């Protein structure tokens, strides 16, 4: 609906708000949309164009400080929060450029569609890559349990870490390298208390890498599967990848007990839209992990495509079913594994397949291939 004068009768002298002249334009679209101006008393005001007509412009003005303006420019505060966090006025600016009428207002008196949507930053590049919002009856401003704050921050970091280690093929034991830590320890852009929400920005500098984008895509895939009520299995190129995706998604599901009932994940990494995770999603992920983690003895034939001498692992490719496996072997097997790799020989591997990994007990040249 179009903006109109409030019925509250809280009119003030428009001259109190100054001329409404633009001092610094913060965002433009065919003209300033969000800008700073100065009141008659010399106070800095934040002004937002809420509606326009042939007769003039409706402005929402709010008291602000240089710190608020700086936070807007850095993406640390949403535009709506900046406008509604202090005193607010509605003013009408005539076609001659002067403020002719003004009223004191409250945020809930502004008609729908005349304030920026919640969470909208000043600039598109300020959009958080991922936002985690924990929901629950006891999660309210001023009384949010510390466990909720810790869960939202830590679970997001752990989920990204799990998938980055998979993408980069790094072991998950020990202290991670600094460059890896920089990728998964995302900077916090802002907090919000509509339930409890943390918005994370992208790592700065050169670390916004292809590996990070791959990890984000895998995370989105896992969250979409977990939040779906269909019975189809999670698709992945291998059990290793499936296990990594499931463990990462599990981090962001609500704990089985406690104040968090739902977790909503959104942001630019969630290109398919926000994903809502419940305790049902947690049980679904755990069920799929149990299926993956069931231990069974296997015999496989294939070729060693890659060898990691430091971590005693290899990639077995060219198997009959077309699936590749990550093999973990004992140090005393290293020389044989390296020889088979260098000679590109087909090998027979016997071991235990558990948690998406092949723990090798015996490896030898494939007798059938040797006899050909």
């Amino acid at each position: 609906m179009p903006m109109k004068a409030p019925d509250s009768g809280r009119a003030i002298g428009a001259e109190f708000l100054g001329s409404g002249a633009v001092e610094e334009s913060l965002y433009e679209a065919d003209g300033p949309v969000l800008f700073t101006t100065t009141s008659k008393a010399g106070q800095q005001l934040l002004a937002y164009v809420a509606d326009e007509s042939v007769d003039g412009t409706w402005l929402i003005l709010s008291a602000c400080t240089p710190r608020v303006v700086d936070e807007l420019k850095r993406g640390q505060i949403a535009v709506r929060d900046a406008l509604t966090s202090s005193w607010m006025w509605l003013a009408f600016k005539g076609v001659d450029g002067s403020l002719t009428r003004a009223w004191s207002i409250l945020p809930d008196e502004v008609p729908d569609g005349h304030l920026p949507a919640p969470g909208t930053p000043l600039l598109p590049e300020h959009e958080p890559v991922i936002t985690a919002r924990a929901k629950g009856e006891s999660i309210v401003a001023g009384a949010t349990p510390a466990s909720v704050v810790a869960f939202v921050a830590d679970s997001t970091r752990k989920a990204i870490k799990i998938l980055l280690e998979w993408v980069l093929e790094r072991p998950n034991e020990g202290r991670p390298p600094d460059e890896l830590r920089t990728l998964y320890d995302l900077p916090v852009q802002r907090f919000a208390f509509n339930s409890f929400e943390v918005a994370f920005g992208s790592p700065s500098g050169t670390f916004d890498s292809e590996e990070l984008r791959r990890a984000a895509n895998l995370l989105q895939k896992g969250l979409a599967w977990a939040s779906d009520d269909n019975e189809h299995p999670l698709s992945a190129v291998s059990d290793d990848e499936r296990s990594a995706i499931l463990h990462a998604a599990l981090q962001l599901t609500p704990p089985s007990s406690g104040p968090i009932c739902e977790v909503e994940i959104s942001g630019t990494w969630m290109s398919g839209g926000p994903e809502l995770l419940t305790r049902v999603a947690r049980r679904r992920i755990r069920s799929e992990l149990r299926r993956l983690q069931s231990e069974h003895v296997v015999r496989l034939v294939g070729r060693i495509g890659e060898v990691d001498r430091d971590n005693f692992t290899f990639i077995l490719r060219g198997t009959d079913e077309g699936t590749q496996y990550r093999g973990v072997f004992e140090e005393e097997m290293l020389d044989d594994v390296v020889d088979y790799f260098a000679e590109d020989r087909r090998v027979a591997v016997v071991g235990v397949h558990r948690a998406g990994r092949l723990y090798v007990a015996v490896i030898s040249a494939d007798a059938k291939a040797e006899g050909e």
Side-chain angles (χ1 to χ4, degrees):
M1 63 168 58
M3 187 68 75
K4 62 180 182 179
D7 298 328
S8 62
R10 292 197 302 273
I12 65 170
E15 66 277 2
F16 167 76
L17 298 175
S19 65
V22 176
E23 290 193 346
E24 180 181 6
S25 179
L26 302 176
Y27 184 77
E28 295 191 8
D30 296 328
V33 174
L34 186 74
F35 57 92
T36 61
T37 187
T38 303
S39 71
K40 184 178 180 181
Q43 298 167 312
Q44 188 176 47
L45 302 176
L46 187 64
Y48 174 73
V49 177
D51 202 1
E52 293 182 286
S53 69
V54 294
D55 299 321
T57 303
W58 291 96
L59 297 177
I60 292 175
L61 299 107
S62 174
C64 75
T65 64
R67 178 178 177 179
V68 170
V69 174
D70 183 63
E71 289 176 344
L72 278 168
K73 292 178 178 179
R74 293 174 179 268
Q76 296 173 342
I77 186 173
V79 177
R80 189 186 186 106
D81 293 338
L83 287 167
T84 61
S85 61
S86 185
W87 297 338
M88 292 176 63
W89 300 274
L90 176 65
F92 186 76
K93 189 175 186 178
V95 292
D96 62 352
S98 62
L99 299 184
T100 58
R101 293 173 288 165
W103 301 262
S104 174
I105 59 170
L106 297 173
D108 57 8
E109 294 175 318
V110 180
D112 292 343
H114 293 286
L115 275 173
T120 303
L122 177 63
L123 300 173
E125 55 264 35
H126 294 157
E127 288 282 355
V129 295
I130 189 167
T131 298
R133 179 185 179 191
K135 302 178 181 181
E137 291 184 1
S138 62
I139 306 174
V140 295
T144 299
S147 60
V148 173
V149 179
F151 170 84
V152 174
D154 290 344
S155 61
T156 307
R157 179 181 59 85
K158 289 176 182 177
I160 299 300
K161 179 176 182 288
I162 288 170
L163 289 172
L164 275 170
E165 286 176 337
W166 157 248
V167 168
L168 295 170
E169 298 183 353
R170 295 178 184 268
N172 56 13
E173 297 85 9
R175 183 180 179 87
D178 289 342
E179 66 271 19
L180 179 60
R181 189 192 311 279
T182 304
L183 285 172
Y184 68 74
D185 201 9
L186 304 177
V188 174
Q189 280 189 327
R190 62 177 181 268
F191 297 96
F193 288 92
N194 45 342
S195 298
F196 182 75
E197 178 179 294
V198 180
F200 297 89
S202 180
S204 59
T206 60
F207 294 109
D208 187 10
S209 63
E210 175 62 27
E211 291 84 1
L212 186 58
R213 287 190 288 273
R214 285 176 59 197
N217 290 337
L218 292 176
L219 180 61
Q220 180 193 14
K221 181 178 183 178
L223 296 180
W225 177 85
S227 62
D228 195 344
D229 58 1
N230 290 327
E231 295 300 321
H232 59 81
L234 173 65
S235 63
V237 298
S238 67
D239 282 349
D240 278 355
E241 182 180 272
R242 185 176 292 105
S243 178
I245 294 172
L246 290 169
H247 277 100
L250 182 66
Q251 297 294 327
L252 292 166
T253 58
S256 300
S257 61
I260 303 174
C261 297
E262 296 178 338
V263 176
E264 183 179 272
I265 306 297
S266 59
T268 59
W269 282 356
M270 300 294 109
S271 58
E275 300 292 351
L276 184 64
L277 303 168
T278 65
R279 288 171 179 163
V280 173
R282 185 177 186 86
R283 291 194 293 270
R284 188 178 191 208
I285 292 173
R286 285 197 172 278
S287 176
E288 185 78 353
L289 281 171
R290 282 194 295 271
R291 187 186 66 79
L292 276 177
Q293 291 169 353
S294 58
E295 182 176 291
H296 54 281
V297 177
V298 296
R299 181 184 185 278
L300 301 166
V301 176
R303 285 187 170 84
I304 298 175
E306 298 178 26
V307 177
D308 186 333
R309 300 167 186 254
D310 296 325
N311 296 300
F312 306 113
T313 64
F314 63 78
I315 304 297
L316 185 68
R317 295 180 176 140
T319 60
D320 291 340
E321 66 270 32
T323 303
Q324 68 178 25
Y325 295 84
R326 180 179 295 276
V328 181
F329 58 90
E330 298 298 327
E331 183 176 358
E332 56 266 24
M333 299 181 186
L334 178 60
D335 290 342
D336 287 339
V337 169
V338 171
D339 287 344
Y340 293 142
F341 169 68
E343 296 168 7
D344 194 28
R345 298 169 68 182
R346 288 186 65 80
V347 296
V349 177
V350 176
V352 174
H353 195 250
R354 181 177 67 246
R357 289 204 173 194
L358 174 63
Y359 293 86
V360 178
V362 178
I363 184 169
S364 63
D366 178 29
K368 182 178 178 181
E370 293 291 302
E372 293 176 353

